[in-house]
């Protein structure tokens, strides 16, 4: 019952009315034109459902409610797999969000699986953008912090900063997240000069 309640609060209350046209029986079309239009309409509904689920999950993570984020992110993953395929690069942000939410709930083994999925997809995508690779390294960095492996975290966050700089430029706001998490690590290590320098950069 508690899982159903969490699931309802997290996502089903938001997408219930969107599910029936997507999961229910599809109408029978008599012409090729109607069939094509029906497929396009179904795709738009699925993409809308994915967008709602993903933004809802992200909102819960930002609000510090990782447990509520997981059902919403799983719905986004489910429909994204249907629309784009299970090995599609569009799934990477969802896997990273699931990893962040799982880490937030203390489920580190599950978070590691999601990060592994994201990493595998990126390795299989030669033309993957530096921006997405940057997000992967940030996710790996935050996971390493949760594990207490600060040296590994610094390695991944440095890669995050490098890749974000390559994609967006040196003074872009996208770079600031990596700097911020690195500064927090140096602060924890009592390396105040490095921490203050990075906080200033942020």
């Amino acid at each position: 019952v508690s899982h159903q309640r969490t699931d309802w609060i997290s996502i089903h209350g938001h997408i219930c009315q969107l599910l029936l046209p997507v999961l229910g029986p599809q109408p029978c079309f008599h012409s090729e034109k109607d069939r094509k239009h029906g497929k396009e309409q179904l795709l738009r509904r699925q993409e809308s459902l994915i967008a709602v689920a993903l933004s809802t999950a992200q909102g819960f993570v930002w609000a510090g409610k990782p447990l509520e984020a997981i059902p919403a992110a799983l719905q986004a993953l489910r429909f994204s797999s249907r629309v784009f395929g299970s090995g599609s690069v569009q799934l990477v942000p969802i896997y990273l969000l699931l990893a962040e939410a799982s880490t937030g709930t203390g489920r580190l083994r599950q978070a590691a699986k999601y990060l592994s999925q994201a990493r595998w997809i990126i390795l299989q995508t030669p033309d993957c953008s530096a921006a997405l690779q940057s997000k992967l390294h940030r996710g790996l960095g935050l996971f390493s912090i949760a594990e207490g492996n600060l040296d590994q975290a610094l390695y991944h966050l440095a890669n995050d900063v490098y890749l974000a700089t390559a994609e967006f430029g040196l003074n872009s706001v996208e770079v600031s997240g990596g700097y911020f998490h690195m500064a927090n690590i140096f602060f924890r290590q009592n390396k105040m000069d490095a921490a203050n320098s990075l906080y200033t950069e942020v």
Side-chain angles (χ1 to χ4, degrees):
V1 172
S2 66
H3 284 160
Q4 286 179 332
R5 190 179 299 118
T6 302
D7 196 47
W8 180 261
I9 292 167
S10 170
I11 190 61
H12 274 100
H14 302 281
I15 64 168
C16 209
Q17 66 275 26
L18 298 172
L19 283 172
L20 191 59
V22 171
L23 296 179
Q26 297 302 308
C28 184
F29 298 108
H30 300 292
S31 72
E32 184 60 34
K33 183 183 175 185
D34 289 343
R35 269 193 293 280
K36 187 180 177 188
H37 178 71
K39 278 185 180 178
E40 288 169 358
Q41 205 170 28
L42 178 62
L43 181 63
R44 277 197 300 274
R45 286 174 177 156
Q46 288 172 323
E47 287 174 342
S48 173
L49 206 147
I50 292 164
V52 170
L54 195 53
S55 66
T56 301
Q58 187 68 73
F60 279 123
V61 167
W62 286 337
K65 298 176 178 177
L67 188 64
E68 286 89 339
I70 291 171
L74 286 172
Q75 284 293 340
L77 180 64
R78 177 185 175 195
F79 285 101
S80 293
S81 297
R82 279 186 178 191
V83 173
F84 305 114
S86 59
S88 169
V89 77
Q90 278 93 340
L91 273 61
V92 170
I94 304 169
Y95 278 125
L96 295 177
L97 188 59
L98 279 164
E100 189 177 350
S102 298
T103 301
T105 60
R107 300 171 185 169
L108 296 186
R109 186 177 291 180
Q110 191 61 49
K113 287 181 182 177
Y114 290 133
L115 286 168
S116 180
Q117 283 291 122
R119 182 184 252 170
W120 175 251
I121 291 171
I122 283 178
L123 286 171
Q124 298 301 306
T125 312
D127 58 343
C128 183
S129 70
L132 201 53
Q133 292 178 60
S134 163
K135 286 180 181 177
L136 172 66
H137 279 287
R138 185 169 302 177
L140 291 165
L142 294 174
F143 178 74
S144 298
I145 292 169
E147 282 193 315
N149 190 344
L150 300 184
D151 289 336
Q152 185 74 12
L154 285 171
Y155 166 79
H156 285 300
L157 292 168
N159 277 313
D160 166 25
V161 167
Y162 171 77
L163 290 161
T165 300
E167 183 78 13
F168 302 107
L170 195 59
N171 295 317
S172 65
V173 73
E174 288 83 0
V175 179
S176 63
Y179 281 140
F180 179 74
H181 293 300
M182 289 175 78
N184 287 342
I185 291 172
F186 287 128
F187 184 83
R188 280 172 65 175
Q189 293 175 332
N190 209 26
K191 296 176 180 175
M192 298 312 294
D193 286 347
N196 288 332
S197 173
L198 288 172
Y199 283 135
T200 303
E201 192 67 33
V202 173

